[in-house]
Amino acid sequence: RWWVQRFQRSLQLYDETRVDHFRAFAGYWAVGAQEETAMNGVWKKGPGIELFEALEAALGHVPILAEDLGVITPDVTALREAIGAPGMVVLQFAWGGGATNTHLPHNIYQNSFVYPGTHDNQTVLGWYKAGCRPEEARLIARYIGAEAGQDISWAFIREAFKSVARTVVVAMQDVMRLDDSARMNTPGKAAGNWAWRVGGSSIWDELRAESADLLAITQMYDRLLLDWKAPGTKDAGTPEAESVSEVETVAEAAAANYISASQS
């Protein structure tokens, strides 16, 4: 009942919901309430497929993104695939462990979301400067190209866009080539998170070059959804683009309709 209520509320707010720590549905680390740390505990079997069958019976299709990062065992992958949920790939995690690393671009699978980095990571530039090991930097240079380090943020963005992953998610900090002074969140740090802001209203004029570059790679890697309409604007009369040159006009119309729908 608790999960049904939680997903029911999420689906009122969002088109898709990311489920954090998805691996716990297959197996989770249980720690006694009296323990002072999480070191002492036991692995227990999670609710598995039965939970998702119950969700579907109560709510119909429940579109989720499975946050399947960390040490993922075969039972976790099997559960994710059984319910058809996309998983997550993070390019900052790709450069250690050899050619079988699941985050390397050649191992990315179609039913996934790929991120250069998430809200919990350093920015790509911050990671490359301070978190990337020398052997990782050498592999990046060989894998992506020797020039990658000159513009590492956009090198990762391009790798994400050119992958077979169904969806790409890119942080604005990486679009803007910012270092860790713009980091969003540091897990385990109690204060000072979620303070970064993109800037004032003039920032969009300042980012016209980046906007054009995003449009270009979106077109190049066939990720341009010409018939996209903002949620809630199905019947709002949003025009569809007939050519790439009309995309910006369509985007403005869709945004205007979305704002109008939201205000109403």
Side-chain angles (χ1 to χ4, degrees):
R1 289 195 301 269
W2 186 89
W3 278 109
V4 167
Q5 291 172 0
R6 188 174 178 91
F7 274 108
Q8 189 172 43
R9 177 56 177 157
S10 292
L11 293 175
Q12 292 173 353
L13 300 173
Y14 318 117
D15 296 307
E16 295 179 273
T17 298
R18 192 187 88 146
V19 177
D20 219 6
H21 304 289
F22 178 83
R23 71 110 49 246
F25 291 114
Y28 62 94
W29 182 247
V31 179
Q34 74 281 1
E35 297 288 345
E36 295 184 1
T37 75
M39 294 295 293
N40 299 320
V42 294
W43 281 103
K44 292 188 176 182
K45 182 176 176 59
I49 191 69
E50 289 82 4
L51 171 64
F52 295 96
E53 291 172 344
L55 288 171
E56 186 171 354
L59 303 174
H61 177 58
V62 179
I64 71 167
L65 160 62
E67 188 268 319
D68 55 350
L69 305 177
V71 180
I72 300 302
T73 48
D75 58 333
V76 181
T77 301
L79 177 60
R80 179 183 59 75
E81 292 178 344
I83 65 173
M88 287 179 58
V89 179
V90 181
L91 294 182
Q92 286 186 34
F93 299 160
W95 313 105
T100 60
N101 185 315
T102 57
H103 299 274
L104 276 169
H106 66 263
N107 291 322
I108 293 176
Y109 52 99
Q110 188 172 15
N111 191 26
S112 66
F113 280 55
V114 60
Y115 301 71
T118 76
H119 59 280
D120 283 336
N121 298 122
Q122 296 173 264
T123 67
V124 170
L125 181 59
W127 172 80
Y128 191 75
K129 286 182 174 180
C132 179
R133 299 189 299 271
E135 61 271 22
E136 291 177 314
R138 289 192 292 270
L139 177 56
I140 291 170
R142 295 197 306 273
Y143 195 102
I144 298 179
E147 75 284 355
Q150 298 174 9
D151 189 3
I152 191 65
S153 300
W154 274 75
F156 274 36
I157 291 173
R158 284 192 297 274
E159 288 299 308
F161 269 71
K162 72 171 67 170
S163 75
V164 299
R166 188 190 73 176
T167 307
V168 178
V169 180
V170 179
M172 277 300 300
Q173 292 95 320
D174 295 331
V175 173
M176 297 169 69
R177 300 174 170 91
L178 300 179
D179 61 18
D180 276 349
S181 62
R183 181 168 182 167
M184 185 66 77
N185 183 59
T186 303
K189 179 182 175 183
N193 295 313
W194 302 101
W196 182 80
R197 296 294 182 266
V198 68
S201 59
S202 64
I203 192 66
W204 309 115
D205 286 329
E206 297 169 20
L207 292 174
R208 285 190 178 276
E210 289 82 358
S211 176
D213 289 342
L214 278 175
L215 177 60
I217 65 171
T218 303
Q219 178 188 3
M220 179 181 296
Y221 299 118
D222 194 28
R223 291 185 178 274
L224 197 60
L225 303 181
L226 296 181
D227 60 349
W228 179 86
K229 293 179 178 64
T233 62
K234 181 178 180 181
D235 300 317
T238 302
E240 295 185 8
E242 295 182 357
S243 66
V244 173
S245 63
E246 298 178 27
V247 169
E248 291 183 350
T249 302
V250 171
E252 290 172 0
N257 283 334
Y258 179 63
I259 292 170
S260 175
S262 298
Q263 291 173 338
S264 64

